[in-house]
Amino acid sequence: MVTENEALQKETLIPLYVVPEDEQLLYMYEEVKQAAASRTSSIFVRVLRSMVTATAFQILVSNNNGIKAITDNTIVTLEGVLPGTGEDAPTIVITAHYDSYGLAPWLSYGADSNGSGVTILLELARLFQKLYSSSSTRPQYNLMFSLTGGGKYNFLGTKRWIEENLDHAESSLLHDSVAFVLCLDTVAKGDELYVHVSRPPKPDTPLHSFIQQLEEVVSFRFPWVKVGLVHKKINLVESTVAWEHERYSLRRILGFTLSHVEDPKSELRGSILDTMSQVDSRKLKRNGIIIAEALARYMYNLSDKGSPKDVQVFKGHLDFQDSRMSSLMSFLTSVPRAAQLLHKEPSQILLVNSLEHEFKRYLQQVHRHTFRQDKRDPDITFYDQMNQPIVMYRVKPAAFDLFLGGCITAYLGIAYYSIQ
């Protein structure tokens, strides 16, 4: 992961190919190791041995068509709402980006980052829909859920969605009072939950109250979990942002990101090694429970109503379902979700359509926003033909041809002089 992260940060003119590990690849690796181990011999012996026995490998990329830039790339963002009681109810936005990232797009499955965030968001939508379905348990908050695309590319989908709702839409919940925006990003591992903010929350603000509820839930139910506040100012000089909530902060909307990752540049957030083996299902469920209980305590104002600090809202038929969360994670990681693949590959299109179907099952006023990349976006270019057939041949080095030519010349010379 560290090597991959370093490679992603650097520009190189040498083509770099990534292939899955198999028996043939391991056999080649063993041959290279044996050749390297022979360096303990003398230089003369090594030269003679390499001329006769050494084996080299030649890579051939069989691509008859030239690689072209994708000019019609689209980004899909989904939104759905659970309306609260009252006409001027404040809005809580819960969002997560669904795409993945890595050195090889066709091998980027993004289990922890950010399949975990999407899974928890869909479970929150299912559970809170049950609370909102009854007028007696419906809180005085509009609950908006958002799944955004282009998260690994400067959160382009979030940027365009905010612009559409604030600058172009005549009516939007973002125009009204937004209590806060909760962004879920990489929440399937570790015993830490970091609250990433652009500015420290002030007392008596919704964000400060929610963090208090979060700490209260953790202290009474999961005391071994560490909750930390990470303050990172937005550098307006930089063209990229580190977390999704920074897109909202730039428009003066209070937002924060929950993640088990402390450093936004961590290699855990963009790697082809981020597969299901990296996910701890128990900790994924635990983090989902913490977030759901903290939201319920805040939305229903349970602390001020004198409810016990160890009260559990989500239990019984409102509990997180292990089988459902496992199925969601397996489904999300069944296909690569790189942004440049999602607009044309049938399996990726099916994935986005299935996420939209999940929204329609539990939420109201579901909308699908499709954005095309334009001049307002950063200078990011996607290319096609990322999954290319690679053939590797076993060949002898050039020194072997010279050695063989010398042997043939010596043989012919000896034959000639023998005949003479």
Side-chain angles (χ1 to χ4, degrees):
M1 282 188 178
V2 174
T3 305
E4 181 184 9
N5 190 43
E6 290 291 330
L8 285 167
Q9 303 300 323
K10 296 180 179 179
E11 182 179 356
T12 174
L13 298 178
I14 303 175
L16 180 61
Y17 298 96
V18 180
V19 295
E21 180 181 296
D22 57 17
E23 292 184 0
Q24 292 181 346
L25 197 65
L26 292 174
Y27 180 74
M28 290 164 44
Y29 176 61
E30 289 298 326
E31 286 196 0
V32 174
K33 281 207 308 182
Q34 292 177 7
S38 65
R39 293 190 176 184
T40 57
S41 310
S42 64
I43 295 177
F44 180 74
V45 174
R46 291 209 317 261
V47 170
L48 289 179
R49 184 181 299 169
S50 65
M51 291 176 66
V52 180
T53 63
T55 301
F57 301 98
Q58 180 178 354
I59 295 177
L60 176 63
V61 181
S62 55
N63 182 16
N64 297 324
N65 300 320
I67 298 177
K68 301 178 182 179
I70 300 175
T71 57
D72 60 342
N73 195 57
T74 57
I75 298 174
V76 176
T77 295
L78 305 172
E79 74 171 48
V81 178
L82 291 174
T85 59
E87 296 181 358
D88 299 324
T91 301
I92 295 176
V93 181
I94 303 176
T95 181
H97 68 86
Y98 59 80
D99 53 341
S100 60
Y101 184 63
L103 192 61
W106 276 91
L107 298 175
S108 303
Y109 293 92
D112 191 9
S113 179
N114 191 30
S116 61
V118 176
T119 298
I120 290 181
L121 184 144
L122 293 175
E123 271 294 86
L124 291 175
R126 180 183 69 87
L127 295 176
F128 276 95
Q129 184 268 341
K130 295 182 179 181
L131 296 177
Y132 275 76
S133 60
S134 173
S135 58
S136 60
T137 56
R138 184 181 303 168
Q140 297 180 344
Y141 285 92
N142 298 315
L143 201 53
M144 175 183 286
F145 294 88
S146 172
L147 285 177
T148 59
K152 300 299 185 180
Y153 295 94
N154 210 21
F155 300 100
L156 294 181
T158 306
K159 175 175 177 285
R160 296 292 302 278
W161 181 76
I162 295 174
E163 289 174 350
E164 182 177 275
N165 279 273
L166 291 182
D167 301 337
H168 306 296
E170 296 181 359
S171 61
S172 169
L173 290 175
L174 292 182
H175 285 289
D176 304 324
S177 174
V178 177
F180 55 80
V181 179
L182 167 58
C183 307
L184 303 175
D185 191 335
T186 318
V187 284
K189 289 177 64 177
D191 288 326
E192 301 85 15
L193 268 181
Y194 294 102
V195 182
H196 296 269
V197 295
S198 300
R199 59 181 62 183
K202 298 180 179 179
D204 300 327
T205 60
L207 176 54
H208 187 269
S209 300
F210 175 80
I211 294 177
Q212 285 184 326
Q213 303 296 340
L214 194 72
E215 293 174 341
E216 208 165 85
V217 172
V218 168
S219 63
F220 280 93
R221 294 194 59 182
F222 308 99
W224 60 90
V225 177
K226 170 190 173 184
V227 177
L229 184 69
V230 181
H231 172 219
K232 175 188 170 299
K233 292 184 178 180
I234 300 177
N235 189 353
L236 298 177
V237 177
E238 296 181 357
S239 59
T240 58
V241 295
W243 298 101
E244 187 172 6
H245 74 267
E246 296 181 8
R247 283 295 181 194
Y248 291 90
S249 299
L250 288 170
R251 301 303 298 266
R252 300 185 182 280
I253 299 176
L254 186 64
F256 63 100
T257 298
L258 273 180
S259 175
H260 72 75
V261 176
E262 184 176 8
D263 183 6
K265 296 182 180 180
S266 170
E267 59 271 8
L268 297 172
R269 296 186 66 206
S271 173
I272 59 177
L273 300 177
D274 182 13
T275 59
M276 278 293 290
S277 61
Q278 296 290 323
V279 173
D280 190 325
S281 58
R282 294 173 301 175
K283 294 180 179 180
L284 175 67
K285 178 181 179 180
R286 179 203 66 198
N287 290 340
I289 293 173
I290 291 173
I291 296 168
E293 293 289 351
L295 272 173
R297 294 183 67 88
Y298 172 81
M299 295 167 63
Y300 292 98
N301 199 19
L302 296 183
S303 296
D304 293 345
K305 292 180 179 179
S307 300
K309 292 187 176 182
D310 58 349
V311 63
Q312 296 184 31
V313 177
F314 295 95
K315 59 182 179 180
H317 71 286
L318 288 177
D319 195 9
F320 281 73
Q321 295 180 359
D322 294 328
S323 58
R324 174 176 161 81
M325 297 187 74
S326 177
S327 298
L328 286 172
M329 284 297 301
S330 299
F331 173 66
L332 289 168
T333 55
S334 62
V335 295
R337 304 190 310 280
Q340 57 267 52
L341 303 177
L342 289 165
H343 75 294
K344 61 178 182 179
E345 293 297 324
S347 57
Q348 282 85 359
I349 294 175
L350 175 63
L351 183 141
V352 177
N353 291 339
S354 299
L355 291 177
E356 184 178 12
H357 175 70
E358 282 290 306
F359 262 39
K360 290 180 178 179
R361 285 180 63 187
Y362 304 113
L363 305 177
Q364 302 177 21
Q365 305 172 26
V366 175
H367 300 285
R368 176 176 179 145
H369 306 264
T370 302
F371 306 112
R372 292 188 178 275
Q373 201 169 348
D374 61 15
K375 296 180 180 179
R376 294 178 297 172
D377 297 330
D379 189 15
I380 297 176
T381 303
F382 297 121
Y383 293 89
D384 62 356
Q385 299 182 27
M386 289 164 290
N387 188 14
Q388 302 184 26
I390 298 178
V391 181
M392 186 165 291
Y393 295 95
R394 181 191 302 273
V395 296
K396 289 294 184 181
F400 178 79
D401 295 334
L402 294 176
F403 175 78
L404 185 61
C407 292
I408 294 173
T409 302
Y411 166 74
L412 293 176
I414 293 173
Y416 173 76
Y417 284 110
S418 297
I419 294 173
Q420 291 295 320

